[in-house]
Amino acid sequence: MGFKSHPLLFIAVKSKGNLKKIDINKKAYENIKNLNLISHEAYFKVHSDCFEEKISPEIHYLYYGINDEDNLKKTYVNNLFDVEFYRKNYSGDEDPILHYVSKGFFNKNFINQWDYNYITSLNEDLSKQFYKNQKFKIKEELKHNYYITDKKISIPYINSNIEFKTDKIRVGVFINDSFINLAPCPYIRIHEPFSRLSDSGKYNFFVYGMDSFALMDIDEILKVKQFDIVVVQRILPFLDVLVDKCLQHGIKMVYETDDDLLGVEESSPSFEYVDRVRRSMEKYIDNCDIVTVTTPALAAKFPNKKVCIIRNYYVDSVFQIKEGIKEEGPITLGYYGTLTHTKDLLLIKNPIITLKKLMKEDYGIEVRFEIIGGFNEGDEVDDSWFDVIDLPPNPMNFANFMGWLFKTINWDIGVVPLENSNFNKGKSELKYIELSVLGIPGVYSDMEVYNSVVYEQYNGLLAKTEKEWVNQIKKLILDMNLRKNIRNNAVKDVIENYSISSRIQKWDMIFNKLIN
């Protein structure tokens, strides 16, 4: 076989005696070999000539394998070294392997999306270094970070076959929303109370959002008992797997919801998705240790479960209470909501049209009605009776949205119509809390969700029929003192009865009871 079976001789011949080239290629060969970057068995399957001529795969790669397509390289390169990731982020047109062993390592480039510079030497097996240092990083993180959202920590943690034990209660939290752009429900119900509870130092929270699910190896989660408690909010695409793992390892389960999702009507935009996972939702709820909900009405939807009511609250970290009410300018009514409320808004279409005509003809008052969101996506809606305030083009989490809303709207009166359906009977008074903080007196649908907290002409008004909607809104338009009093009383109520501290205490109590 001659020089081909002798790596250093092969390099010298190929470099035609050029000492600089010899030195560069020798170092590259040694680094690739020491890191164990190439599987010999897999490489031989792709390059049989390498095996037949007894050429070292590392040497063969330097001169021939380097020309393979990336998809082919993936079959024999250590799977911890993400060829596609590395090329995209660092090497460009250069070969990822050669770039890393000659430049990237020294520039502290990551070898994959989970890397935290776990490779500290070119003289030691890459896999051993990666897993050893990743394990050390996770352990160190657990010592000082009690609310973990970094996917480089949380996903290797849940997929690890090594249990990380701590002196804290380990809580795995799963939300059906992107953590980057948290909607109101997960922000209020999960993120805010858990992040504050983590300050107690009694817990390690691991938060997994939709942006994590696609990166997780679902079938490989929880090979060991990584959590003491799991909290699932609303809905999850892999509940079956999660339930089985929790039962296997004796992990306590909590189901958290602000809606009667299993009771969603067929006409709802959410029905199809909920129906697809209905069986797995029922399985999780049947096996969970406790259900947390927002209202007594929603609690009644779970008659055979232990239920704890944790009411919604004023998120004081997101926006401050607005001083006073609007006292100048044209009378403006307003509504905001997610893109699922067509039926609710149509309840007040005729009252708004009637009111506008009445106020102009009888009192010379022009009335505007502004809507943010609200109508179901794709619905063809007559927009002659309202004005649209467009949302910003970029997605916003709840905190950013409420900050934007605080600065954008200038309403005299807020309207909160709600269709009287079984599903809506499980809703909470969140809109009342938010309008109160925004300094906007409101007229609310006369349903339990609101008539249980709104007292007529004290902290709001209630309406059921079209005539009542017209009269109640008219009453507020014509009486500024009534608007002021309602605003002041509503703010007082929110401050006294809707603080986050009592909600945090309830979660603390739930977790401790589950463990102890």
Side-chain angles (χ1 to χ4, degrees):
M1 295 299 174
F3 71 90
K4 290 185 179 180
S5 60
H6 300 281
L8 298 183
L9 186 56
F10 191 105
I11 290 172
V13 171
K14 282 291 186 179
S15 301
K16 298 180 179 179
N18 186 309
L19 295 179
K20 185 176 181 180
K21 284 185 178 180
I22 291 173
D23 185 55
I24 291 173
N25 289 327
K26 177 176 175 288
K27 286 179 180 177
Y29 158 72
E30 289 173 345
N31 291 340
I32 295 171
K33 183 177 177 61
N34 292 337
L35 288 171
N36 201 12
L37 270 170
I38 294 176
S39 163
H40 287 201
E41 183 180 355
Y43 194 84
F44 289 146
K45 288 179 180 178
V46 174
H47 296 283
S48 57
D49 60 315
C50 177
F51 176 75
E52 292 164 0
E53 298 188 36
K54 295 185 179 180
I55 304 175
S56 164
E58 291 82 9
I59 288 292
H60 190 278
Y61 182 83
L62 287 176
Y63 296 99
Y64 307 107
I66 191 175
N67 298 313
D68 290 341
E69 295 290 331
D70 283 355
N71 284 338
L72 196 56
K73 289 176 181 174
K74 290 178 187 178
T75 65
Y76 56 75
V77 171
N78 186 313
N79 58 15
L80 283 175
F81 189 95
D82 189 331
V83 173
E84 185 178 342
F85 167 88
Y86 193 89
R87 185 184 292 281
K88 178 181 178 182
N89 289 281
Y90 304 115
S91 67
D93 293 334
E94 293 184 55
D95 176 72
I97 297 295
L98 287 186
H99 185 279
Y100 180 73
V101 298
S102 60
K103 306 174 189 175
F105 170 81
F106 304 99
N107 292 332
K108 299 188 180 301
N109 293 349
F110 298 145
I111 63 170
N112 58 42
Q113 62 182 325
W114 312 118
D115 192 9
Y116 255 130
N117 290 132
Y118 294 143
I119 310 305
T120 57
S121 170
L122 290 172
N123 297 315
E124 185 183 344
D125 182 277
L126 179 136
S127 296
K128 289 180 180 179
Q129 289 187 74
F130 187 89
Y131 288 122
K132 178 183 70 176
N133 292 325
Q134 184 184 67
K135 179 181 176 181
F136 178 79
K137 172 71 175 177
I138 292 173
K139 284 185 174 181
E140 289 299 302
E141 197 76 12
L142 293 176
K143 290 179 183 178
H144 64 81
N145 186 353
Y146 306 142
Y147 190 74
I148 296 171
T149 61
D150 183 351
K151 291 188 282 292
K152 286 189 176 186
I153 300 298
S154 62
I155 293 180
Y157 179 87
I158 197 173
N159 282 135
S160 177
N161 56 9
I162 301 169
E163 181 179 353
F164 292 88
K165 295 183 179 181
T166 73
D167 59 350
K168 314 265 186 306
I169 296 175
R170 302 164 300 170
V171 184
V173 182
F174 298 85
I175 53 180
N176 196 37
D177 206 355
S178 165
F179 186 79
I180 298 172
N181 294 307
L182 282 180
C185 174
Y187 197 103
I188 296 168
R189 303 291 300 167
I190 296 290
H191 169 64
E192 190 73 9
F194 288 6
S195 61
R196 295 202 195 185
L197 185 52
S198 71
D199 292 338
S200 69
K202 294 160 57 177
Y203 301 92
N204 281 127
F205 289 97
F206 301 80
V207 184
Y208 300 88
M210 284 185 69
D211 43 345
S212 297
F213 302 160
L215 303 174
M216 289 161 54
D217 187 344
I218 300 299
D219 292 330
E220 294 296 316
I221 66 171
L222 295 178
K223 293 190 284 289
V224 293
K225 186 178 180 179
Q226 297 291 39
F227 306 126
D228 302 296
I229 301 170
V230 155
V231 179
V232 169
Q233 190 187 48
R234 290 173 62 91
I235 203 165
L236 207 62
F238 51 93
L239 275 174
D240 281 337
V241 175
L242 191 61
V243 171
D244 292 342
K245 295 289 188 177
C246 287
L247 292 175
Q248 177 186 347
H249 299 302
I251 299 171
K252 301 295 184 180
M253 288 179 274
V254 179
Y255 180 65
E256 206 297 309
T257 186
D258 66 338
D259 273 327
D260 176 22
L261 292 177
L262 292 175
V264 67
E265 288 97 351
E266 290 188 34
S267 58
S268 167
S270 306
F271 177 80
E272 185 178 341
Y273 177 53
V274 171
D275 205 46
R276 283 203 306 269
V277 296
R278 182 180 301 275
R279 187 191 59 79
S280 58
M281 284 179 65
E282 291 171 340
K283 178 180 177 181
Y284 184 88
I285 292 169
D286 287 344
N287 284 281
C288 77
D289 297 275
I290 190 169
V291 176
T292 60
V293 298
T294 48
T295 67
L298 187 54
K301 303 287 185 179
F302 302 91
N304 301 317
K305 297 301 299 183
K306 184 177 181 181
V307 181
C308 181
I309 298 169
I310 303 177
R311 303 198 81 108
N312 280 326
Y313 57 90
Y314 161 43
V315 189
D316 54 10
S317 64
V318 169
F319 57 109
Q320 299 302 307
I321 293 173
K322 203 165 191 174
E323 295 294 329
I325 63 168
K326 177 189 168 191
E327 297 189 26
E328 298 179 345
I331 292 293
T332 305
L333 317 178
Y335 173 91
Y336 67 93
T338 56
L339 304 177
T340 56
H341 293 282
T342 296
K343 287 186 176 182
D344 299 331
L345 283 165
L346 291 181
L347 292 175
I348 59 171
K349 177 180 178 181
N350 291 334
I352 294 295
I353 292 171
T354 300
L355 184 76
K356 284 185 171 185
K357 185 172 182 292
L358 173 69
M359 297 308 297
K360 184 173 183 180
E361 291 179 354
D362 292 5
Y363 300 94
I365 298 175
E366 293 279 352
V367 175
R368 287 172 54 85
F369 179 41
E370 296 180 342
I371 291 179
I372 299 172
F375 290 103
N376 302 354
E377 287 186 286
D379 281 0
E380 293 184 10
V381 178
D382 167 26
D383 61 1
S384 61
W385 55 287
F386 62 87
D387 299 292
V388 174
I389 296 180
D390 291 325
L391 288 164
N394 298 320
M396 291 188 293
N397 64 23
F398 170 71
N400 292 336
F401 172 75
M402 292 309 295
W404 171 84
L405 190 70
F406 189 91
K407 296 175 183 176
T408 301
I409 62 174
N410 191 25
W411 298 341
D412 298 274
I413 300 163
V415 292
V416 188
L418 194 62
E419 182 191 24
N420 190 2
S421 67
N422 285 330
F423 178 75
N424 283 342
K425 287 175 182 176
K427 289 286 187 181
S428 80
E429 69 272 33
L430 185 58
K431 279 290 189 295
Y432 162 71
I433 300 169
E434 292 173 353
L435 284 179
S436 300
V437 174
L438 288 166
I440 302 171
V443 181
Y444 305 87
S445 273
D446 190 359
M447 292 173 57
E448 182 181 353
V449 53
Y450 291 117
N451 64 30
S452 60
V453 296
V454 172
Y455 300 96
E456 187 68 20
Q457 296 196 68
Y458 177 74
N459 58 345
L461 297 179
L462 298 163
K464 186 175 291 184
T465 66
E466 290 190 353
K467 184 178 180 181
E468 287 177 353
W469 276 105
V470 173
N471 289 337
Q472 296 288 58
I473 297 172
K474 173 186 170 185
K475 190 183 297 182
L476 282 178
I477 290 174
L478 296 177
D479 192 340
M480 182 180 289
N481 285 330
L482 179 60
R483 299 204 300 272
K484 286 181 180 178
N485 289 336
I486 285 176
R487 178 266 171 199
N488 293 338
N489 291 331
V491 168
K492 181 174 181 288
D493 178 40
V494 168
I495 291 173
E496 290 179 356
N497 298 304
Y498 290 93
S499 72
I500 188 175
S501 57
S502 63
R503 280 55 169 176
I504 295 173
Q505 289 169 8
K506 277 199 173 183
W507 276 114
D508 192 25
M509 176 192 71
I510 288 170
F511 292 149
N512 278 285
K513 281 189 174 181
L514 285 175
I515 296 303
N516 299 319

